[in-house]
Amino acid sequence: MNGIDIVICLVILALVVVVIRYLIKEKKAGHKSCGFDCSTCSMCSHGGHGCSGGCHSKK
């Protein structure tokens, strides 16, 4: 690997870390990845499996 390859790998790794940290922060704040508030939806909270999107209308 030369210097350019290492820089590209580091940039990609940094982007992955930023996205993962963002998703963890959103989950801790109570947000769902589907973008809806699923706290009262029985389809989304059933068994703690997360939102399947079945209770939301398609955009």
Side-chain angles (χ1 to χ4, degrees), residues 1-20:
M1 289 179 122
N2 60 22
I4 300 289
D5 292 337
I6 293 172
V7 170
I8 291 172
C9 288
L10 290 175
V11 168
I12 291 172
L13 179 64
L15 288 174
V16 169
V17 168
V18 167
V19 168
I20 290 173

Side-chain angles (χ1 to χ4, degrees), residues 12-57:
I12 291 172
L13 179 64
L15 288 174
V16 169
V17 168
V18 167
V19 168
I20 290 173
R21 288 183 67 192
Y22 171 77
L23 292 174
I24 291 171
K25 180 181 173 186
E26 289 293 304
K27 184 169 183 155
K28 285 182 179 179
H31 298 219
K32 299 289 184 180
S33 61
C34 66
F36 292 92
D37 178 21
C38 301
S39 61
T40 60
C41 178
S42 63
M43 292 179 70
C44 294
S45 60
H46 177 68
H49 296 295
C51 185
S52 63
C55 57
H56 310 299
S57 60

